[in-house]
């Protein structure tokens, strides 16, 4: 979420994407279009719910399976995600949002510092101008 | 059999170029050529500049397969739900409209087998990065929703309405309050802008504007 557009932030807070984000690092099972099922480690969730996974087993409707080292799927293709039993859904979402809020807070503090510096510069400039005005 | 179409070699936005890639569509090899992963499309061209072009929105998944049981070579697998010339083109295209573009029967398995196996990882990543550049436009929410959410001063397209705030937990509300204060504290610009403008007017000349206007443009960007 380091560089996030308004769009991706909107999705993060207004869809279930934050729940998926909280599952990063876990082994999950995802049912996708075409009746295929994938199981593997969830590496990264993007704002549109696109998933980056690794060590995936892709099983089709006939039960044939393929092992895939790295895997990327568009969010739109996802039908269901099986949430591991040990995950408390509400807690996971809350935790993820709190974590993001925290980093956002930090980010704002940094921005604030930059703004302060700029403001000081501007004040200095306008003071110079006022001084010049007086001379005139 | 897929029809190869003439394309010009892409020049812009190339994220990855991989020579000596054998392409296999639904189990049929269509030859060896160069794979271009560009910001706008994926293009595979043989030596005669003929090949196939794939749209990102229609590549529903891609993966690195090192499993030789199903296919004898390590490859980059793409599931494509679009149409390719010469393949699944005529059978139902007249009656089906755009909505059925992704109907389940039309999925194509396309395998790109690079001669250099080390390239699989960068190819995969380039493809993933470019996919991110092409979000689904009709993804639940219209573009207006984002803009509205962003314009109301709450900053991040969240909790735009009273409704949204009401759904927050107490801690959430406190956080929001705190963050809003932080934001407000960072916005002393309007004041200084007015003042410097007044000075400029008082001076009665516009040459050498007192404050670099670019600074303010920057500042605005920061708050988005």
């Amino acid at each position: 979420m380091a560089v996030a557009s308004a769009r991706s932030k909107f999705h993060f807070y207004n869809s279930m994407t934050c729940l998926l984000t909280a599952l990063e690092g876990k082994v999950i099972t995802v049912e996708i279009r075409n009746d295929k099922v994938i199981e593997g480690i969830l590496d990264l969730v993007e704002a549109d719910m696109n998933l980056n996974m690794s060590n995936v087993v892709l099983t089709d409707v006939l039960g044939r399976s393929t092992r895939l080292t790295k895997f990327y799927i568009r969010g739109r293709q996802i039908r269901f995600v099986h949430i591991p039993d040990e995950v408390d859904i509400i807690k996971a979402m809350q935790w993820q949002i709190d974590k993001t809020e925290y980093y956002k807070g930090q980010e704002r503090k940094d921005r604030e510092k930059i703004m302060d510096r700029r403001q000081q510069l501007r004040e200095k400039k306008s003071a110079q101008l006022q001084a010049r005005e007086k001379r005139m | 059999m897929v029809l190869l179409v003439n394309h010009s070699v892409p020049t812009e936005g190339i994220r990855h170029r991989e020579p000596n890639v054998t392409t296999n569509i639904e189990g049929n090899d269509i030859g060896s050529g160069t794979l271009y992963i560009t910001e706008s499309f994926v293009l595979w061209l043989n030596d005669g500049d003929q090949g196939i072009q794939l749209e990102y929105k229609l590549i529903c998944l891609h993966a690195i397969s090192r499993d030789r049981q199903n296919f004898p070579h390590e490859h980059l697998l793409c599931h494509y739900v679009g149409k390719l010339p010469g393949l699944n083109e005529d059978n139902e295209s007249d009656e089906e409209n755009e909505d059925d573009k992704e109907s389940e029967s039309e999925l194509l398995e396309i395998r790109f087998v690079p001669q250099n196996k080390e390239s699989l990882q960068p190819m995969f990543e380039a493809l993933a990065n470019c996919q991110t550049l092409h979000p689904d436009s009709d993804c639940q929410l219209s573009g207006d929703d984002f803009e509205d959410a962003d314009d109301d001063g709450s900053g991040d397209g969240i909790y735009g309405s009273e409704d949204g705030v009401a759904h927050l937990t107490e801690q959430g509300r406190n956080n929001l309050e705190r963050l809003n204060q932080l934001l407000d504290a960072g916005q002393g610009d309007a004041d200084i802008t007015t003042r410097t403008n007044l000075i400029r007017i008082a001076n009665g000349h516009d040459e050498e504007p007192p404050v670099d206007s670019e600074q303010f443009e920057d500042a605005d960007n920061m708050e988005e």
Side-chain angles (χ1 to χ4, degrees):
Chain A
M1 294 297 291
V3 186
S5 66
R7 181 195 169 91
S8 60
K9 280 178 196 160
F10 188 91
H11 273 304
F12 181 80
Y13 286 100
N14 292 277
S15 72
M16 299 290 278
T17 309
C18 58
L19 172 59
L20 278 185
T21 310
L23 298 180
E24 281 174 3
K26 291 191 187 306
V27 174
I28 58 164
T29 305
V30 185
E31 292 181 37
I32 59 174
R33 290 192 189 207
N34 296 83
D35 297 319
K36 291 184 167 69
V37 177
I38 48 182
E39 186 175 3
I41 303 167
L42 180 62
D43 292 333
L44 182 80
V45 180
E46 293 175 8
D48 283 354
M49 230 180 254
N50 302 341
L51 307 182
N52 284 270
M53 298 175 69
S54 50
N55 295 330
V56 165
V57 178
L58 169 71
T59 310
D60 68 12
V61 67
L62 299 172
R64 290 175 301 202
S65 58
T66 315
R67 242 190 295 252
L68 301 165
T69 318
K70 295 284 284 171
F71 184 88
Y72 181 99
I73 185 161
R74 288 185 78 91
R76 209 180 165 176
Q77 300 295 323
I78 298 170
R79 280 205 174 128
F80 302 106
V81 177
H82 297 217
I83 311 293
D85 282 342
E86 74 268 17
V87 174
D88 179 324
I89 295 177
I90 301 296
K91 271 189 199 157
M93 292 174 81
Q94 193 59 53
W95 175 77
Q96 189 61 44
I97 287 174
D98 287 348
K99 197 170 93 173
T100 312
E101 292 287 335
Y102 172 78
Y103 284 116
K104 241 166 45 181
Q106 296 291 85
E107 222 174 275
R108 274 189 192 141
K109 273 181 210 156
D110 290 346
R111 277 185 212 170
E112 204 188 349
K113 272 186 208 155
I114 296 170
M115 301 297 274
D116 273 355
R117 250 201 329 263
R118 286 181 177 206
Q119 182 138 358
Q120 277 167 17
L121 273 173
R122 279 174 213 155
E123 273 163 9
K124 221 160 115 188
K125 256 195 158 163
S126 60
Q128 280 172 0
L129 275 164
Q130 271 167 355
R132 198 192 297 168
E133 203 180 352
K134 275 181 198 153
R135 277 203 306 272
M136 284 165 77
Chain B
M1 189 62 190
V2 67
L3 279 176
L4 300 184
V5 182
N6 266 311
H7 289 283
S8 51
V9 175
T11 50
E12 282 182 355
I14 298 174
R15 292 293 186 97
H16 190 92
R17 178 184 173 276
E18 184 64 29
N20 303 318
V21 176
T22 307
T23 299
N24 181 298
I25 300 177
E26 292 288 306
N28 300 313
D29 269 354
I30 59 168
S32 176
T34 305
L35 182 70
Y36 299 90
I37 298 170
T38 79
E39 284 165 11
S40 323
F41 48 78
V42 176
L43 180 65
W44 174 87
L45 289 178
N46 65 17
D47 293 339
D49 285 347
Q50 290 185 314
I52 53 167
Q53 183 170 323
L54 309 181
E55 268 181 68
Y56 283 111
K57 286 187 184 179
L58 303 178
I59 302 177
C60 50
L61 65 86
H62 71 270
I64 298 178
S65 172
R66 301 189 196 275
D67 182 356
R68 304 214 185 150
Q69 279 182 335
N70 290 314
F71 195 78
H73 307 284
E74 296 181 13
H75 61 276
L76 187 73
L77 172 73
C78 293
H79 280 185
Y80 193 64
V81 289
K83 293 178 166 47
L84 289 176
L87 278 182
N88 59 24
E89 208 174 22
D90 298 323
N91 21 10
E92 39 193 342
S93 58
D94 287 343
E95 287 168 31
E96 310 280 323
N97 55 25
E98 288 285 293
D99 291 340
D100 293 321
K101 228 173 4 186
E102 295 180 30
S103 90
E104 310 213 335
S105 54
E106 293 176 58
L107 189 138
L108 291 174
E109 277 191 342
I110 303 177
R111 295 180 159 90
F112 296 110
V113 187
Q115 202 174 59
N116 178 9
K117 304 287 173 257
E118 300 296 308
S119 299
L120 280 169
Q121 185 71 24
M123 282 163 69
F124 176 87
E125 277 162 20
L127 208 51
N129 290 339
C130 291
Q131 281 279 29
T132 313
L133 299 176
H134 296 260
D136 287 311
S137 42
D138 55 346
C139 195
Q140 299 149 343
L141 299 150
S142 69
D144 293 342
D145 288 331
F146 307 113
E147 283 160 27
D148 288 351
D150 219 33
D151 285 346
D152 63 10
S154 61
D156 292 289
I158 353 147
Y159 310 134
S161 61
E162 288 297 316
D163 234 22
V165 176
H167 281 110
L168 284 172
T169 61
E170 196 179 335
Q171 204 205 336
R173 262 191 295 262
N174 289 342
N175 282 345
L176 186 65
E177 189 60 26
R178 191 168 50 83
L179 292 169
N180 279 340
Q181 277 168 4
L182 271 176
L183 250 188
D184 288 340
Q187 287 175 333
D189 302 89
D191 181 26
I192 193 90
T193 317
T194 340
R195 259 193 293 157
T196 43
N197 277 340
L198 279 176
I199 294 166
R200 186 150 68 179
I201 293 162
N203 279 343
H205 57 83
D206 270 351
E207 83 219 40
E208 196 200 336
V211 177
D212 180 11
S213 57
E214 267 174 32
Q215 259 186 350
F216 293 112
E217 279 164 29
D218 267 355
D220 285 338
N221 290 339
M222 298 276 303
E223 285 148 27
E224 275 172 19

